[in-house]
Amino acid sequence: MHALLVGAAMTGGMLYLIYTTWVWMEDAPVGENRVIGGVVGLLICCVGLLFGLAILVGGIGSLTKADFGPPLAHFGCTPLLGLSILAMGRGLIMWEPSSYDWRLQMGGFATAAVVLGIGRVLYKARSTREYFEI
């Protein structure tokens, strides 16, 4: 169930970011070129979309007791957990708690790390391994 919620939220969020990045790129004033930034943003969003779909498919596989379900969800969560922790470390190095943007980013990365960490703990639990015969 955890993988379904995380996968659905991430897939929906990435689809929204793809749309907003495309609109931002197309709404550039005359003479301002946003193509390079827009294309890089779209590529990053597409990678995030693939991870979200992997987690979502892993959650669906977990519901149907498919043997690929939990490992696929774990595969999608692990790199994202690592990136969230690295981003929090970078944010702590650039300590600036008076900045609203800094607090917003740190809160988002911390939330992502907690949610993905819960998924990792659930995957490693003995009861999960016994249920799915991993």
Side-chain angles (χ1 to χ4, degrees):
M1 189 56 103
H2 179 269
L4 282 174
L5 295 174
V6 171
M10 187 161 178
T11 302
M14 286 299 126
L15 287 172
Y16 175 74
L17 284 175
I18 287 172
Y19 168 74
T20 57
T21 302
W22 184 264
V23 169
W24 173 79
M25 193 170 61
E26 292 296 318
D27 282 348
V30 177
E32 186 175 329
N33 189 359
R34 294 184 182 173
V35 173
I36 293 174
V39 169
V40 170
L42 288 173
L43 288 175
I44 291 171
C45 290
C46 286
V47 170
L49 179 65
L50 291 175
F51 275 111
L53 288 173
I55 296 170
L56 184 62
V57 169
I60 292 169
S62 297
L63 283 181
T64 61
K65 284 195 77 167
D67 57 349
F68 67 85
L72 186 60
H74 183 257
F75 166 77
C77 285
T78 302
L80 299 174
L81 176 62
L83 287 174
S84 297
I85 292 171
L86 284 174
M88 284 189 334
R90 183 196 63 86
L92 290 175
I93 290 171
M94 301 176 69
W95 185 264
E96 194 175 333
S98 61
S99 168
Y100 173 76
D101 292 334
W102 182 85
R103 290 192 314 267
L104 184 65
Q105 288 178 8
M106 292 301 289
F109 290 135
T111 302
V114 167
V115 169
L116 295 170
I118 289 170
R120 184 165 173 83
V121 168
L122 288 173
Y123 176 74
K124 295 288 185 182
R126 186 180 333 144
S127 59
T128 302
R129 295 188 167 279
E130 289 172 358
Y131 182 77
F132 289 105
E133 300 167 355
I134 299 173

PDB file of all heavy atoms in Angstrom, residues 88-118:
ATOM      1  N   MET A  88      19.764  16.941   1.554  1.00  0.00           N
ATOM      2  CA  MET A  88      19.693  17.496   2.907  1.00  0.00           C
ATOM      3  C   MET A  88      21.087  17.839   3.424  1.00  0.00           C
ATOM      4  O   MET A  88      21.281  18.868   4.073  1.00  0.00           O
ATOM      5  CB  MET A  88      19.004  16.520   3.859  1.00  0.00           C
ATOM      6  CG  MET A  88      17.522  16.479   3.700  1.00  0.00           C
ATOM      7  SD  MET A  88      16.618  15.544   4.956  1.00  0.00           S
ATOM      8  CE  MET A  88      17.727  14.366   5.579  1.00  0.00           C
ATOM      9  N   GLY A  89      22.070  16.989   3.134  1.00  0.00           N
ATOM     10  CA  GLY A  89      23.447  17.277   3.539  1.00  0.00           C
ATOM     11  C   GLY A  89      23.969  18.544   2.892  1.00  0.00           C
ATOM     12  O   GLY A  89      24.614  19.370   3.533  1.00  0.00           O
ATOM     13  N   ARG A  90      23.680  18.709   1.595  1.00  0.00           N
ATOM     14  CA  ARG A  90      24.095  19.930   0.896  1.00  0.00           C
ATOM     15  C   ARG A  90      23.415  21.150   1.503  1.00  0.00           C
ATOM     16  O   ARG A  90      24.019  22.204   1.681  1.00  0.00           O
ATOM     17  CB  ARG A  90      23.759  19.841  -0.588  1.00  0.00           C
ATOM     18  CG  ARG A  90      24.234  21.045  -1.376  1.00  0.00           C
ATOM     19  CD  ARG A  90      23.572  21.124  -2.732  1.00  0.00           C
ATOM     20  NE  ARG A  90      22.139  21.290  -2.669  1.00  0.00           N
ATOM     21  CZ  ARG A  90      21.500  22.456  -2.549  1.00  0.00           C
ATOM     22  NH1 ARG A  90      22.177  23.564  -2.437  1.00  0.00           N
ATOM     23  NH2 ARG A  90      20.188  22.507  -2.530  1.00  0.00           N
ATOM     24  N   GLY A  91      22.159  21.000   1.859  1.00  0.00           N
ATOM     25  CA  GLY A  91      21.433  22.108   2.470  1.00  0.00           C
ATOM     26  C   GLY A  91      21.980  22.478   3.835  1.00  0.00           C
ATOM     27  O   GLY A  91      22.033  23.659   4.191  1.00  0.00           O
ATOM     28  N   LEU A  92      22.411  21.480   4.604  1.00  0.00           N
ATOM     29  CA  LEU A  92      22.989  21.775   5.912  1.00  0.00           C
ATOM     30  C   LEU A  92      24.341  22.466   5.770  1.00  0.00           C
ATOM     31  O   LEU A  92      24.694  23.323   6.591  1.00  0.00           O
ATOM     32  CB  LEU A  92      23.123  20.488   6.729  1.00  0.00           C
ATOM     33  CG  LEU A  92      21.799  19.894   7.200  1.00  0.00           C
ATOM     34  CD1 LEU A  92      22.030  18.553   7.884  1.00  0.00           C
ATOM     35  CD2 LEU A  92      21.067  20.847   8.126  1.00  0.00           C
ATOM     36  N   ILE A  93      25.089  22.105   4.733  1.00  0.00           N
ATOM     37  CA  ILE A  93      26.369  22.785   4.495  1.00  0.00           C
ATOM     38  C   ILE A  93      26.132  24.247   4.145  1.00  0.00           C
ATOM     39  O   ILE A  93      26.886  25.122   4.555  1.00  0.00           O
ATOM     40  CB  ILE A  93      27.155  22.063   3.375  1.00  0.00           C
ATOM     41  CG1 ILE A  93      27.636  20.715   3.890  1.00  0.00           C
ATOM     42  CG2 ILE A  93      28.328  22.901   2.886  1.00  0.00           C
ATOM     43  CD1 ILE A  93      28.221  19.823   2.824  1.00  0.00           C
ATOM     44  N   MET A  94      25.062  24.514   3.402  1.00  0.00           N
ATOM     45  CA  MET A  94      24.737  25.890   2.996  1.00  0.00           C
ATOM     46  C   MET A  94      23.773  26.537   3.991  1.00  0.00           C
ATOM     47  O   MET A  94      22.879  27.263   3.604  1.00  0.00           O
ATOM     48  CB  MET A  94      24.125  25.876   1.601  1.00  0.00           C
ATOM     49  CG  MET A  94      25.037  25.285   0.552  1.00  0.00           C
ATOM     50  SD  MET A  94      24.262  25.192  -1.034  1.00  0.00           S
ATOM     51  CE  MET A  94      24.145  26.908  -1.438  1.00  0.00           C
ATOM     52  N   TRP A  95      23.943  26.294   5.263  1.00  0.00           N
ATOM     53  CA  TRP A  95      23.056  26.706   6.338  1.00  0.00           C
ATOM     54  C   TRP A  95      22.571  28.138   6.179  1.00  0.00           C
ATOM     55  O   TRP A  95      23.356  29.078   6.181  1.00  0.00           O
ATOM     56  CB  TRP A  95      23.795  26.551   7.659  1.00  0.00           C
ATOM     57  CG  TRP A  95      22.980  26.835   8.861  1.00  0.00           C
ATOM     58  CD1 TRP A  95      22.922  28.019   9.539  1.00  0.00           C
ATOM     59  CD2 TRP A  95      22.122  25.936   9.537  1.00  0.00           C
ATOM     60  NE1 TRP A  95      22.070  27.911  10.594  1.00  0.00           N
ATOM     61  CE2 TRP A  95      21.562  26.640  10.631  1.00  0.00           C
ATOM     62  CE3 TRP A  95      21.748  24.626   9.344  1.00  0.00           C
ATOM     63  CZ2 TRP A  95      20.669  26.052  11.504  1.00  0.00           C
ATOM     64  CZ3 TRP A  95      20.869  24.041  10.219  1.00  0.00           C
ATOM     65  CH2 TRP A  95      20.333  24.759  11.287  1.00  0.00           C
ATOM     66  N   GLU A  96      21.267  28.308   5.997  1.00  0.00           N
ATOM     67  CA  GLU A  96      20.680  29.640   5.895  1.00  0.00           C
ATOM     68  C   GLU A  96      19.207  29.569   6.328  1.00  0.00           C
ATOM     69  O   GLU A  96      18.302  29.715   5.518  1.00  0.00           O
ATOM     70  CB  GLU A  96      20.773  30.166   4.460  1.00  0.00           C
ATOM     71  CG  GLU A  96      20.503  31.639   4.380  1.00  0.00           C
ATOM     72  CD  GLU A  96      20.728  32.163   2.975  1.00  0.00           C
ATOM     73  OE1 GLU A  96      21.528  31.583   2.232  1.00  0.00           O
ATOM     74  OE2 GLU A  96      20.074  33.145   2.638  1.00  0.00           O
ATOM     75  N   PRO A  97      18.954  29.337   7.617  1.00  0.00           N
ATOM     76  CA  PRO A  97      17.579  29.142   8.077  1.00  0.00           C
ATOM     77  C   PRO A  97      16.696  30.384   7.977  1.00  0.00           C
ATOM     78  O   PRO A  97      15.483  30.285   8.078  1.00  0.00           O
ATOM     79  CB  PRO A  97      17.739  28.695   9.528  1.00  0.00           C
ATOM     80  CG  PRO A  97      19.075  29.183   9.937  1.00  0.00           C
ATOM     81  CD  PRO A  97      19.919  29.221   8.699  1.00  0.00           C
ATOM     82  N   SER A  98      17.279  31.552   7.749  1.00  0.00           N
ATOM     83  CA  SER A  98      16.452  32.745   7.614  1.00  0.00           C
ATOM     84  C   SER A  98      15.799  32.831   6.237  1.00  0.00           C
ATOM     85  O   SER A  98      14.869  33.607   6.045  1.00  0.00           O
ATOM     86  CB  SER A  98      17.300  33.999   7.868  1.00  0.00           C
ATOM     87  OG  SER A  98      18.350  34.063   6.917  1.00  0.00           O
ATOM     88  N   SER A  99      16.257  32.029   5.294  1.00  0.00           N
ATOM     89  CA  SER A  99      15.710  32.047   3.938  1.00  0.00           C
ATOM     90  C   SER A  99      14.493  31.123   3.852  1.00  0.00           C
ATOM     91  O   SER A  99      14.558  29.954   4.229  1.00  0.00           O
ATOM     92  CB  SER A  99      16.783  31.594   2.945  1.00  0.00           C
ATOM     93  OG  SER A  99      16.210  31.347   1.689  1.00  0.00           O
ATOM     94  N   TYR A 100      13.406  31.648   3.321  1.00  0.00           N
ATOM     95  CA  TYR A 100      12.192  30.842   3.142  1.00  0.00           C
ATOM     96  C   TYR A 100      12.448  29.694   2.173  1.00  0.00           C
ATOM     97  O   TYR A 100      11.991  28.573   2.397  1.00  0.00           O
ATOM     98  CB  TYR A 100      11.046  31.726   2.641  1.00  0.00           C
ATOM     99  CG  TYR A 100       9.822  30.925   2.266  1.00  0.00           C
ATOM    100  CD1 TYR A 100       8.987  30.402   3.239  1.00  0.00           C
ATOM    101  CD2 TYR A 100       9.512  30.689   0.932  1.00  0.00           C
ATOM    102  CE1 TYR A 100       7.875  29.652   2.905  1.00  0.00           C
ATOM    103  CE2 TYR A 100       8.404  29.940   0.581  1.00  0.00           C
ATOM    104  CZ  TYR A 100       7.585  29.432   1.566  1.00  0.00           C
ATOM    105  OH  TYR A 100       6.491  28.683   1.231  1.00  0.00           O
ATOM    106  N   ASP A 101      13.170  29.958   1.089  1.00  0.00           N
ATOM    107  CA  ASP A 101      13.453  28.909   0.109  1.00  0.00           C
ATOM    108  C   ASP A 101      14.268  27.775   0.717  1.00  0.00           C
ATOM    109  O   ASP A 101      14.027  26.609   0.426  1.00  0.00           O
ATOM    110  CB  ASP A 101      14.196  29.481  -1.105  1.00  0.00           C
ATOM    111  CG  ASP A 101      13.327  30.412  -1.916  1.00  0.00           C
ATOM    112  OD1 ASP A 101      12.090  30.263  -1.872  1.00  0.00           O
ATOM    113  OD2 ASP A 101      13.883  31.303  -2.596  1.00  0.00           O
ATOM    114  N   TRP A 102      15.234  28.102   1.570  1.00  0.00           N
ATOM    115  CA  TRP A 102      16.055  27.086   2.215  1.00  0.00           C
ATOM    116  C   TRP A 102      15.188  26.192   3.103  1.00  0.00           C
ATOM    117  O   TRP A 102      15.295  24.974   3.058  1.00  0.00           O
ATOM    118  CB  TRP A 102      17.169  27.741   3.032  1.00  0.00           C
ATOM    119  CG  TRP A 102      18.090  26.757   3.688  1.00  0.00           C
ATOM    120  CD1 TRP A 102      19.182  26.166   3.136  1.00  0.00           C
ATOM    121  CD2 TRP A 102      17.986  26.244   5.019  1.00  0.00           C
ATOM    122  NE1 TRP A 102      19.763  25.324   4.040  1.00  0.00           N
ATOM    123  CE2 TRP A 102      19.048  25.349   5.205  1.00  0.00           C
ATOM    124  CE3 TRP A 102      17.101  26.455   6.067  1.00  0.00           C
ATOM    125  CZ2 TRP A 102      19.254  24.663   6.395  1.00  0.00           C
ATOM    126  CZ3 TRP A 102      17.297  25.771   7.249  1.00  0.00           C
ATOM    127  CH2 TRP A 102      18.370  24.888   7.406  1.00  0.00           C
ATOM    128  N   ARG A 103      14.321  26.814   3.900  1.00  0.00           N
ATOM    129  CA  ARG A 103      13.449  26.041   4.783  1.00  0.00           C
ATOM    130  C   ARG A 103      12.484  25.174   3.982  1.00  0.00           C
ATOM    131  O   ARG A 103      12.217  24.027   4.350  1.00  0.00           O
ATOM    132  CB  ARG A 103      12.676  26.977   5.718  1.00  0.00           C
ATOM    133  CG  ARG A 103      13.543  27.618   6.760  1.00  0.00           C
ATOM    134  CD  ARG A 103      12.733  28.312   7.853  1.00  0.00           C
ATOM    135  NE  ARG A 103      11.649  29.138   7.365  1.00  0.00           N
ATOM    136  CZ  ARG A 103      11.719  30.432   7.119  1.00  0.00           C
ATOM    137  NH1 ARG A 103      12.851  31.068   7.327  1.00  0.00           N
ATOM    138  NH2 ARG A 103      10.673  31.106   6.690  1.00  0.00           N
ATOM    139  N   LEU A 104      11.969  25.700   2.874  1.00  0.00           N
ATOM    140  CA  LEU A 104      11.051  24.937   2.031  1.00  0.00           C
ATOM    141  C   LEU A 104      11.751  23.729   1.418  1.00  0.00           C
ATOM    142  O   LEU A 104      11.222  22.614   1.449  1.00  0.00           O
ATOM    143  CB  LEU A 104      10.488  25.838   0.934  1.00  0.00           C
ATOM    144  CG  LEU A 104       9.442  25.232   0.013  1.00  0.00           C
ATOM    145  CD1 LEU A 104       8.182  24.901   0.785  1.00  0.00           C
ATOM    146  CD2 LEU A 104       9.129  26.185  -1.122  1.00  0.00           C
ATOM    147  N   GLN A 105      12.947  23.922   0.888  1.00  0.00           N
ATOM    148  CA  GLN A 105      13.695  22.812   0.306  1.00  0.00           C
ATOM    149  C   GLN A 105      14.063  21.777   1.351  1.00  0.00           C
ATOM    150  O   GLN A 105      13.915  20.572   1.120  1.00  0.00           O
ATOM    151  CB  GLN A 105      14.970  23.323  -0.364  1.00  0.00           C
ATOM    152  CG  GLN A 105      14.730  24.075  -1.631  1.00  0.00           C
ATOM    153  CD  GLN A 105      16.015  24.609  -2.227  1.00  0.00           C
ATOM    154  OE1 GLN A 105      17.108  24.296  -1.770  1.00  0.00           O
ATOM    155  NE2 GLN A 105      15.894  25.442  -3.249  1.00  0.00           N
ATOM    156  N   MET A 106      14.535  22.211   2.491  1.00  0.00           N
ATOM    157  CA  MET A 106      14.926  21.264   3.541  1.00  0.00           C
ATOM    158  C   MET A 106      13.717  20.480   4.043  1.00  0.00           C
ATOM    159  O   MET A 106      13.808  19.282   4.301  1.00  0.00           O
ATOM    160  CB  MET A 106      15.613  21.999   4.699  1.00  0.00           C
ATOM    161  CG  MET A 106      16.966  22.563   4.331  1.00  0.00           C
ATOM    162  SD  MET A 106      18.133  21.329   3.770  1.00  0.00           S
ATOM    163  CE  MET A 106      18.467  20.486   5.289  1.00  0.00           C
ATOM    164  N   GLY A 107      12.574  21.145   4.170  1.00  0.00           N
ATOM    165  CA  GLY A 107      11.358  20.436   4.578  1.00  0.00           C
ATOM    166  C   GLY A 107      10.931  19.408   3.549  1.00  0.00           C
ATOM    167  O   GLY A 107      10.529  18.292   3.893  1.00  0.00           O
ATOM    168  N   GLY A 108      11.026  19.756   2.277  1.00  0.00           N
ATOM    169  CA  GLY A 108      10.660  18.808   1.215  1.00  0.00           C
ATOM    170  C   GLY A 108      11.594  17.618   1.164  1.00  0.00           C
ATOM    171  O   GLY A 108      11.149  16.472   1.053  1.00  0.00           O
ATOM    172  N   PHE A 109      12.896  17.865   1.252  1.00  0.00           N
ATOM    173  CA  PHE A 109      13.857  16.756   1.214  1.00  0.00           C
ATOM    174  C   PHE A 109      13.725  15.877   2.450  1.00  0.00           C
ATOM    175  O   PHE A 109      13.837  14.653   2.363  1.00  0.00           O
ATOM    176  CB  PHE A 109      15.288  17.283   1.082  1.00  0.00           C
ATOM    177  CG  PHE A 109      15.576  17.894  -0.257  1.00  0.00           C
ATOM    178  CD1 PHE A 109      16.242  19.106  -0.348  1.00  0.00           C
ATOM    179  CD2 PHE A 109      15.195  17.271  -1.427  1.00  0.00           C
ATOM    180  CE1 PHE A 109      16.519  19.670  -1.577  1.00  0.00           C
ATOM    181  CE2 PHE A 109      15.454  17.831  -2.667  1.00  0.00           C
ATOM    182  CZ  PHE A 109      16.121  19.034  -2.748  1.00  0.00           C
ATOM    183  N   ALA A 110      13.482  16.481   3.604  1.00  0.00           N
ATOM    184  CA  ALA A 110      13.312  15.691   4.829  1.00  0.00           C
ATOM    185  C   ALA A 110      12.058  14.837   4.752  1.00  0.00           C
ATOM    186  O   ALA A 110      12.067  13.661   5.142  1.00  0.00           O
ATOM    187  CB  ALA A 110      13.266  16.615   6.047  1.00  0.00           C
ATOM    188  N   THR A 111      10.970  15.394   4.236  1.00  0.00           N
ATOM    189  CA  THR A 111       9.733  14.628   4.084  1.00  0.00           C
ATOM    190  C   THR A 111       9.937  13.460   3.132  1.00  0.00           C
ATOM    191  O   THR A 111       9.515  12.334   3.412  1.00  0.00           O
ATOM    192  CB  THR A 111       8.599  15.540   3.576  1.00  0.00           C
ATOM    193  OG1 THR A 111       8.431  16.621   4.488  1.00  0.00           O
ATOM    194  CG2 THR A 111       7.304  14.777   3.431  1.00  0.00           C
ATOM    195  N   ALA A 112      10.609  13.720   2.009  1.00  0.00           N
ATOM    196  CA  ALA A 112      10.872  12.644   1.051  1.00  0.00           C
ATOM    197  C   ALA A 112      11.737  11.558   1.685  1.00  0.00           C
ATOM    198  O   ALA A 112      11.482  10.361   1.498  1.00  0.00           O
ATOM    199  CB  ALA A 112      11.551  13.204  -0.189  1.00  0.00           C
ATOM    200  N   ALA A 113      12.752  11.956   2.452  1.00  0.00           N
ATOM    201  CA  ALA A 113      13.621  10.967   3.086  1.00  0.00           C
ATOM    202  C   ALA A 113      12.854  10.121   4.089  1.00  0.00           C
ATOM    203  O   ALA A 113      13.046   8.897   4.153  1.00  0.00           O
ATOM    204  CB  ALA A 113      14.803  11.666   3.758  1.00  0.00           C
ATOM    205  N   VAL A 114      11.976  10.727   4.865  1.00  0.00           N
ATOM    206  CA  VAL A 114      11.194   9.967   5.850  1.00  0.00           C
ATOM    207  C   VAL A 114      10.242   8.997   5.155  1.00  0.00           C
ATOM    208  O   VAL A 114      10.169   7.810   5.507  1.00  0.00           O
ATOM    209  CB  VAL A 114      10.422  10.930   6.788  1.00  0.00           C
ATOM    210  CG1 VAL A 114       9.381  10.191   7.594  1.00  0.00           C
ATOM    211  CG2 VAL A 114      11.390  11.656   7.696  1.00  0.00           C
ATOM    212  N   VAL A 115       9.521   9.465   4.146  1.00  0.00           N
ATOM    213  CA  VAL A 115       8.557   8.599   3.453  1.00  0.00           C
ATOM    214  C   VAL A 115       9.269   7.447   2.751  1.00  0.00           C
ATOM    215  O   VAL A 115       8.849   6.291   2.839  1.00  0.00           O
ATOM    216  CB  VAL A 115       7.712   9.430   2.449  1.00  0.00           C
ATOM    217  CG1 VAL A 115       6.905   8.537   1.538  1.00  0.00           C
ATOM    218  CG2 VAL A 115       6.797  10.383   3.207  1.00  0.00           C
ATOM    219  N   LEU A 116      10.366   7.744   2.057  1.00  0.00           N
ATOM    220  CA  LEU A 116      11.099   6.682   1.371  1.00  0.00           C
ATOM    221  C   LEU A 116      11.815   5.767   2.351  1.00  0.00           C
ATOM    222  O   LEU A 116      11.951   4.565   2.099  1.00  0.00           O
ATOM    223  CB  LEU A 116      12.088   7.294   0.381  1.00  0.00           C
ATOM    224  CG  LEU A 116      11.432   8.057  -0.779  1.00  0.00           C
ATOM    225  CD1 LEU A 116      12.471   8.831  -1.558  1.00  0.00           C
ATOM    226  CD2 LEU A 116      10.664   7.120  -1.680  1.00  0.00           C
ATOM    227  N   GLY A 117      12.267   6.307   3.474  1.00  0.00           N
ATOM    228  CA  GLY A 117      12.883   5.471   4.510  1.00  0.00           C
ATOM    229  C   GLY A 117      11.885   4.489   5.102  1.00  0.00           C
ATOM    230  O   GLY A 117      12.228   3.338   5.388  1.00  0.00           O
ATOM    231  N   ILE A 118      10.643   4.924   5.278  1.00  0.00           N
ATOM    232  CA  ILE A 118       9.600   4.011   5.768  1.00  0.00           C
ATOM    233  C   ILE A 118       9.412   2.866   4.776  1.00  0.00           C
ATOM    234  O   ILE A 118       9.283   1.703   5.165  1.00  0.00           O
ATOM    235  CB  ILE A 118       8.283   4.781   6.004  1.00  0.00           C
ATOM    236  CG1 ILE A 118       8.414   5.694   7.215  1.00  0.00           C
ATOM    237  CG2 ILE A 118       7.114   3.816   6.185  1.00  0.00           C
ATOM    238  CD1 ILE A 118       7.264   6.660   7.385  1.00  0.00           C
TER     239      ILE A 118
END
